[in-house]
Amino acid sequence: MDFGLVLQTDPPASAVVGLMRRAERNGFRHGWTFDSAVLWQEPFVIYSRILEHTTGLIVGSMVTNPSTRTWEVTASTFATLNEMYGNRTVCGIGRGDSAMRVAGRKPNTLATLGEAIGVIRDLAEGREADVDGRPVRLSWVEDGKLPVWMAAYGPKALALAGQQADGFILQLADPYLTASMVAAVRTAASDAGRDPDAVKICVAAPAYIGDDLAHAREQCRWFGGMVGNHVADLVARYGEHSAQVPDALTSYIEQREGYDYSHHGRAGNPDAAFVPDEIVDRFCLLGPADAHIEKLRELRALGVDQFAVYAMHDAREAVIDAYGERIIPALG
């Protein structure tokens, strides 16, 4: 199992670079960041510094979207980083939550997302693609490689990930939900004539190590609020207690009243107060190192290739070091 570190690009950017360097020293192979230019600093500028100051870390977005930048700009940016540092990037992409809504826009449709996945990958790898009805090619790209991994929860999005993406990003660590969603992605890949085992599976969630479970929960409760934004979209689309979306994913948002993106992804987010302890425990990895190892082994058995640690809490360095000392050696 591979391991990744996920950060927000809060200033100073040097701190983000420093944490990524620390992660690589501890055996992490991927470095991811959020991509919401209004809420945080521009990630692609920081990627260049991360790549310069690491030796093999694979760097990417968790996640970008098809509308913040035009597709040829996204492709060219990744391709430029790859030319400079040797094909060490991955494009994580989704419909767009914080990046779109904080600017007063709606997330993209799945149709738009699906088209963008193919165009961005083709352009970044040097192939011609259709952009707004016009053939476009980045003629300077040589030997480019850009895997595109898609974030998804709902049945149509899971199917799209299996049909078109190189990897599937699931932003929660509940084994029951992971099993059903991985199965949906792999079935869609097989039905599309693809090798289902070739689609990489990445589970991303907060991890907090320690014996004070109450404190750990409060540091990670924000995650249930963040996931709740996507769940609310699913409930609006499919209805409550839908056969297409499991209650194990949707029922906890019944008390959700709203969401202020100024607190997005941060410990102490007041808009996550509705998230019960049971959801925090299911969606995150909490407790002593042995509890993390046990849950990660369960996820690995379900086909998870990478666990990406969200480190938005008061113990970022401690969790990076603990994973390097105890957990990565046990599962890597």
Side-chain angles (χ1 to χ4, degrees):
M1 177 181 273
D2 284 343
F3 288 83
L5 177 68
V6 188
L7 299 174
Q8 295 167 337
T9 52
D10 286 314
S14 59
V16 178
V17 176
L19 288 168
M20 291 298 185
R21 295 180 67 189
R22 190 183 195 116
E24 184 177 52
R25 292 195 301 269
N26 275 283
F28 289 76
R29 293 191 59 205
H30 286 74
W32 304 90
T33 76
F34 283 34
D35 178 17
S36 185
V38 173
L39 297 175
W40 305 288
Q41 292 182 322
E42 171 56 37
F44 286 95
V45 177
I46 299 172
Y47 293 163
S48 187
R49 296 290 288 174
I50 295 170
L51 289 162
E52 181 181 2
H53 289 282
T54 55
T55 58
L57 197 72
I58 298 169
V59 175
S61 50
M62 191 175 284
V63 291
T64 192
N65 68 84
S67 293
T68 301
R69 305 166 192 85
T70 60
W71 303 348
E72 69 273 17
V73 169
T74 297
S76 181
T77 305
F78 275 114
T80 301
L81 292 170
N82 282 337
E83 189 278 327
M84 294 171 69
Y85 301 105
N87 287 339
R88 288 171 52 201
T89 67
V90 56
C91 176
I93 194 167
R95 293 175 57 232
D97 177 38
S98 62
M100 298 300 290
R101 288 181 165 127
V102 78
R105 306 184 187 108
K106 293 181 179 180
N108 295 270
T109 65
L110 288 176
T112 298
L113 176 57
E115 186 179 358
I117 287 172
V119 169
I120 290 168
R121 179 170 51 214
D122 282 345
L123 291 176
E125 295 186 349
R127 294 183 294 276
E128 183 179 285
D130 184 274
V131 178
D132 293 332
R134 182 184 183 91
V136 174
R137 180 173 174 268
L138 305 181
S139 60
W140 52 267
V141 174
E142 296 182 5
D143 302 318
K145 185 65 177 176
L146 182 66
V148 181
W149 295 15
M150 178 182 156
Y153 292 107
K156 293 181 180 179
L158 294 169
L160 180 61
Q163 292 160 3
Q164 297 194 31
D166 299 299
F168 162 49
I169 297 171
L170 175 58
Q171 292 164 309
L172 55 80
D174 177 89
Y176 171 78
L177 292 172
T178 299
S180 64
M181 293 183 184
V182 169
V185 169
R186 296 212 186 281
T187 297
S190 180
D191 290 346
R194 307 178 70 200
D195 177 2
D197 294 328
V199 181
K200 295 295 184 181
I201 308 296
C202 175
V203 161
Y208 198 102
I209 292 180
D211 295 324
D212 188 343
L213 195 56
H215 180 73
R217 285 171 176 153
E218 290 313 308
Q219 286 294 304
C220 298
R221 197 175 304 277
W222 63 266
F223 184 65
M226 185 185 83
V227 174
N229 296 327
H230 304 285
V231 174
D233 285 346
L234 294 176
V235 170
R237 177 183 295 269
Y238 296 102
E240 295 181 0
H241 310 297
S242 167
Q244 294 178 281
V245 184
D247 283 352
L249 176 63
T250 61
S251 61
Y252 83 96
I253 70 161
E254 291 179 356
Q255 303 302 314
R256 179 180 182 271
E257 295 181 353
Y259 196 83
D260 181 350
Y261 280 91
S262 66
H263 307 292
H264 189 60
R266 300 191 184 280
N269 183 345
D271 295 323
F274 72 94
V275 180
D277 289 350
E278 181 255 345
I279 287 294
V280 183
D281 294 348
R282 281 174 44 205
F283 285 11
C284 305
L285 274 75
L286 311 176
D290 287 345
H292 291 238
I293 292 170
E294 180 181 0
K295 191 168 186 178
L296 286 167
R297 283 177 173 159
E298 186 176 1
L299 291 169
R300 182 175 64 181
L302 296 173
V304 174
D305 299 294
Q306 179 186 155
F307 177 62
V309 176
Y310 276 108
M312 294 81 174
H313 49 55
D314 63 3
R316 297 186 300 179
E317 292 85 356
V319 77
I320 293 169
D321 293 346
Y323 264 67
E325 293 167 6
R326 292 284 311 277
I327 295 167
I328 293 176
L331 290 127

